[in-house]
Structures are given as C-alpha cells and as structure tokens.
C-alpha cells in the first residue's frame, strides 16, 4: 500500500508562507493610504509625482524577478526570502522618516527590488512541498496573504493615520518584517528531505510523487527555448493585463472612497476592507473546487470577466449613487483575486521543472510591468480628467483581454498538453 502524504505539511508550511507574503504585501499596499492620509500635502507631492511614486515599486519589482526566481529554483528560496524580509522591513519603516520626494523615489524603487523575488520564490518553494492535486490550495494559502493583508491593513492604516499620522503608520507596519525574518529561518525547510519533523517514509512519499508528476513533461534545453513557447508568451501577456486591473484597483480604491462626500480616513479604511472579505472567500472556494475537479480554466476566466463588467459599471454610475457604485466595486475586488490559486497551479502543471523558476519569474515580471502600468496610468488619467471614469474603463478593457487570453491558453483537464511538446 502506498504511504499517505503527510498532512502535517499543511500546518508547518502554509501558515509561515502566508504570514511572510502578508508582510510583503503590507509594505507595498499601505502607500495608497499614506497618500490619501496627508503624505502628499506634507511632502508637497504633486499629482503627477504621486502617480510615479505609486507605480515605481513595480518598476523595481519588474527588473529583478527573473534573477531572483532563478536563484530560488537553483540555489535556495529560504535564504533569499530571509534577507528580503530584513531589507524590505527596514525600507518600509524608513519610508516614515523621509523628508523629500527624491529620497522617497529611491526608496520606493528599492522596495520593489528587494521584494521582487518573494512571489516566485514562494511558488517554487510550495511546488517542492505540494503535489498537483494540492497545488491550487497551497498557492491560494500563499496568495491569501494579499487580500487578507489589505483587509486588516485598510482598517488599521485608517486608525493609525487618524491618530498618529502617516509616518508612524509606515514605521509600525515595517518593523514586523524584520522580526519575522528570524522566525521564517527557524520554521521553514527547503525541501521535504530536509525536514526533521517528517519520517523517512513520509519524506520519500512526497519526493517520489513530485518526481512522478514531472515524468511526463520533457525538460527543455534552456530558458530561451522555454520563453519562446507560445504558451509562456500568452501567460505573460495575460498576467500583465490582469495586473493592470488588480493594482489599479488596490492603489486607487482608497482615493475613490475618500472622494465621496463627508468621508473621513477611518470610514475610508473600513469601506476599503470590504472587497477583500469577498476576495478571501472566493479564493478559498475556487482553489478547493479547482483541485477537486482538476479544472483550472473555468475558475479563472469567468471571474476576470465579472471584474471587468463591475469595474466599468461601478465607476460610470458615479458618486451620486455612491452605495450602488461601491457595491459593484466590492464585487469587482472579490472577482479580481478569486482566480490566483488555479492560475498559478496551471502554470506549474504545463512547464518543465528545469525552467519553472525562470518561467514563473518571467510571468510574474510581466505582471509587475502590468502593475506599474496600472498604478501609473490610472493615476495619470485620474489627474488629467479629474475623475475615475477613463482609468477604470482602461482597467475593464485590460481584464476583458485577459479573459480572452485565458480561454485560449489554459487547457481544459482532458486537453492538457505539456509546454515541452510545443517548443
């Protein structure tokens, strides 16, 4: 009888990666609250500079994705994330001490650089611990750090800015990353064979299952060959367009809400948190049923289309019907996040293991470029037009295009074809 895969992996690995990614996301998403909460006035930041600052993080993130992912795949994800935690926590806390925009520009770019490898490194780490039947759920527990963090961060940031100011918000929210680095180092093992909390039989069961899954996927010669694959190119474009919508929404939702009549920062914080409650529920449900059915495709594209429709309708309804508009934005926020687990599980199932690090890095890198474009273009259009209509129309169009590409590129379960057969 085949040995059962140890369930203890879920209790030892997923909570740690969840907290780690939560801290990373906290230190990138709280900038939108600082801008809405007085930072722009105190540092004399113009609307155009504010737009640049919101998006600069993703430019640093873009340039260093592939080297970081390659290092995580070929060397060690554990050590890479340890040093990243210390550096990004320090930079985030130091943001609360800046007094001019030049220093702030450098710090936002560097924050993106040191966080760039975290997402692909985490996905690679999870792919070394969880099998195909488990991977969507495992990825979801990682990416849940995104909406869950924005949920509680929205409320906490509103209170911190209201009571202590934006500077203390950055400092208080940056320090935990430094402290958590040492907990990460103590609790995480790179692979099952290094874990002293598994028996030898349990270690071999996981390792053998993972090797068997890769047996049907022929390794490709090098990254260049993999990157020329039509599937990889389309996945990059899909994630870029999706990210335009996600980060345009995340960075500018507080400003949309704050622009409503008689709206203060505390209320803005509470209202900004609500979409992420739906995001958490959607992500958990989609990952469960995606793993149960083996179907990734059907748990990605419909949600992107729903988000596109709701973003477009929600903003064009206008401030005079604020609560209806807000309800649509809540649905859009939930739908934007729901497909993450199935999407990244699909990537791991169609790419050969010998290039998965670089390929995930490339896809996430193009996602970062989309995040940069989303943050920058939404801010630019808001500034030029004086409202959110044009910018949210842009996000909706990007999501419709991402929907079309998803339908084309992610195979149905019975039609799954490894990328190696294509290149």
């Amino acid at each position: 009888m085949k040995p059962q895969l140890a369930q203890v992996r879920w209790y030892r690995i997923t909570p740690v990666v969840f907290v780690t990614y939560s801290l990373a996301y906290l230190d990138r998403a709280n900038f939108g609250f600082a801008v809405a909460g007085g930072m722009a006035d105190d540092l004399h930041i113009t609307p155009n500079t504010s737009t640049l600052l919101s998006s600069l993080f993703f430019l640093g993130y873009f340039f260093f994705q592939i080297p970081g992912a390659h290092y995580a795949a070929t060397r060690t994800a554990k050590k890479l994330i340890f040093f990243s935690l210390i550096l990004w926590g320090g930079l985030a806390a130091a943001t609360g001490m800046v007094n001019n925009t030049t220093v702030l520009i450098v710090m936002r770019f560097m924050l993106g650089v040191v966080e760039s490898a975290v997402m692909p490194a985490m996905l690679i780490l999870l792919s070394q611990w969880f099998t195909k039947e488990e991977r969507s759920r495992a990825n979801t527990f990682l990416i849940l750090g995104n909406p869950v963090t924005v949920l509680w961060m929205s409320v906490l940031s509103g209170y911190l800015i209201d009571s202590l100011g934006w500077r203390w918000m950055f400092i208080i929210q940056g320090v935990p990353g430094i402290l958590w680095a040492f907990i990460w180092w103590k609790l995480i093992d790179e692979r099952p064979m290094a874990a002293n909390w598994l028996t030898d039989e349990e270690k071999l069961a996981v390792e053998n299952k993972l090797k068997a899954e890769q047996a049907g996927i022929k390794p490709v010669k090098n990254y260049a060959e993999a990157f020329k694959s039509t599937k990889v190119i389309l996945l990059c474009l899909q994630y870029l367009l999706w990210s335009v919508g996600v980060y345009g929404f995340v960075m500018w939702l507080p400003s949309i809400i704050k622009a409503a009549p008689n709206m203060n920062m505390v209320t803005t914080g509470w209202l900004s948190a609500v979409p992420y409650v739906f995001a958490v529920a959607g992500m958990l449900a989609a990952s469960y049923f995606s793993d149960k059915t083996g179907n990734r495709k059907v748990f990605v594209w419909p949600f992107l289309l729903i988000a596109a429709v709701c973003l477009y309708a929600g903003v064009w309804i206008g401030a005079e019907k604020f609560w209806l508009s807000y309800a649509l934005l809540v649905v859009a926020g939930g739908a934007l996040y729901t497909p993450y687990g199935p999407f990244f599980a699909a990537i791991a199932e169609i790419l050969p293991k010998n290039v998965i690090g670089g390929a995930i890095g490339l896809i996430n890198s193009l996602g970062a470029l989309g995040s940069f474009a989303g943050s920058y273009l939404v801010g630019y259009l808001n500034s030029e037009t004086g409202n959110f209509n044009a910018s949210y129309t842009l996000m909706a169009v990007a999501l419709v295009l991402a929907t079309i590409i998803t339908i084309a590129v992610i195979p149905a379960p019975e039609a799954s074809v490894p990328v190696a057969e294509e290149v």
Side-chain angles (χ1 to χ4, degrees):
M1 189 175 73
K2 293 182 179 179
Q4 293 295 311
L5 300 181
Q7 290 300 302
V8 70
R9 293 169 301 141
W10 291 95
Y11 311 123
R12 289 295 298 259
I13 302 297
T14 54
V16 181
V17 299
F18 169 80
V19 172
T20 305
Y21 192 60
S22 292
L23 292 171
Y25 206 79
L26 169 67
D27 291 335
R28 77 178 72 164
N30 57 10
F31 185 79
F33 279 88
V35 171
M39 185 183 200
D41 293 334
D42 291 348
L43 298 182
H44 308 293
I45 300 172
T46 65
N48 286 338
T49 304
S50 178
T51 298
L52 177 64
L53 286 165
S54 297
S55 52
L56 258 180
F57 169 90
F58 300 106
L59 199 57
Y61 203 78
F62 167 72
F63 283 117
F64 291 87
Q65 281 278 310
I66 296 175
H70 178 71
Y71 183 89
T74 58
R75 302 265 184 109
T76 166
K78 177 179 177 176
K79 186 181 292 185
L80 181 65
I81 293 170
F82 171 76
F83 287 112
S84 294
L85 274 161
I86 294 172
L87 290 171
W88 90 55
L91 283 167
T95 304
M97 305 173 195
V98 299
N99 290 306
N100 65 77
T101 54
T102 302
V103 175
L104 187 57
I105 285 170
V106 173
M107 292 183 71
R108 287 296 294 174
F109 179 79
M110 290 305 301
L111 187 63
V113 170
V114 298
E115 282 194 29
S116 61
V118 173
M119 176 69 162
M122 289 288 198
L123 290 168
I124 290 163
L125 184 79
L126 290 175
S127 74
Q128 293 167 174
W129 277 97
F130 296 97
T131 65
K132 179 178 179 179
E133 291 81 8
E134 304 168 317
R135 202 164 287 137
S136 180
R137 282 168 292 159
N139 290 345
T140 293
F141 278 111
L142 163 65
I143 302 165
L144 269 175
N146 178 323
V148 169
T149 300
V150 180
L151 195 163
W152 64 260
M153 181 272 293
S154 298
V155 177
L156 177 62
S157 295
Y159 277 108
L160 286 174
I161 291 172
D162 190 60
S163 57
L164 298 173
W166 62 268
R167 291 185 180 278
W168 277 106
M169 180 203 71
F170 278 120
I171 295 168
I172 291 170
Q173 293 180 351
V175 169
I178 301 170
L179 301 177
W180 183 256
F182 299 94
I183 298 173
W184 162 269
W185 188 260
K186 180 71 175 175
L187 294 181
I188 282 293
D189 294 294
E190 194 83 36
R191 295 175 179 272
M193 296 305 291
N196 58 16
W197 41 270
L198 290 176
T199 66
D200 290 342
E201 185 182 46
E202 289 170 334
K203 294 175 185 178
L204 288 171
V206 178
E207 293 279 2
N208 290 339
K209 177 70 172 175
L210 292 172
K211 287 177 183 176
E213 289 176 359
Q214 282 284 315
I217 305 178
K218 181 183 175 182
V220 297
K221 293 178 182 177
N222 50 44
Y223 284 129
E225 186 177 358
F227 292 173
K228 288 187 290 186
S229 160
T230 303
K231 273 195 190 312
V232 172
I233 293 168
L234 287 175
L235 285 168
C236 288
L237 181 58
Q238 190 269 12
Y239 197 49
L240 183 152
L241 292 164
W242 181 3
S243 297
V244 168
V246 171
Y247 285 96
F249 180 86
V250 170
M251 297 301 291
W252 292 100
L253 180 65
S255 295
I256 288 182
I257 295 173
K258 185 67 166 56
N262 304 314
M263 192 66 64
N264 59 41
M265 276 308 301
V266 172
T267 306
T268 296
W270 278 102
L271 292 178
S272 296
V274 175
Y276 303 102
V277 176
F278 287 86
V280 170
M283 289 175 74
L284 290 171
S287 65
Y288 173 80
F289 288 108
S290 174
D291 279 348
K292 191 174 181 67
T293 62
N295 193 329
R296 309 305 186 193
K297 185 174 192 167
V298 77
F299 293 100
V300 180
W301 74 261
F303 294 99
L304 298 181
L305 186 59
I306 289 169
V309 172
C310 289
L311 283 177
Y312 181 82
V315 174
W316 279 93
I317 283 173
E320 62 275 9
K321 295 181 180 178
F322 173 76
W323 290 109
L324 176 57
S325 174
Y326 173 71
L328 287 167
L329 292 176
V330 167
V331 175
L336 280 169
Y337 281 94
T338 293
Y340 271 112
F343 175 75
F344 281 106
I347 292 173
E349 290 162 12
I350 61 177
L351 296 177
K353 192 173 182 62
N354 70 310
V355 295
I356 194 168
I360 288 178
L362 179 66
I363 292 165
N364 213 40
S365 180
L366 268 292
L369 190 60
S371 303
F372 173 82
S375 299
Y376 185 83
L377 291 175
V378 169
Y380 174 79
L381 290 172
N382 292 345
S383 175
E384 290 297 309
T385 63
N387 59 52
F388 297 95
N389 294 12
S391 60
Y392 270 59
T393 300
L394 170 70
M395 291 159 61
V397 170
L399 289 168
V400 169
L401 294 174
T403 301
I404 294 168
I405 294 171
T406 302
I407 293 170
V409 72
I410 296 182
E414 65 276 9
S416 180
V417 179
V419 73
E421 293 180 14
E422 188 191 302
V423 293

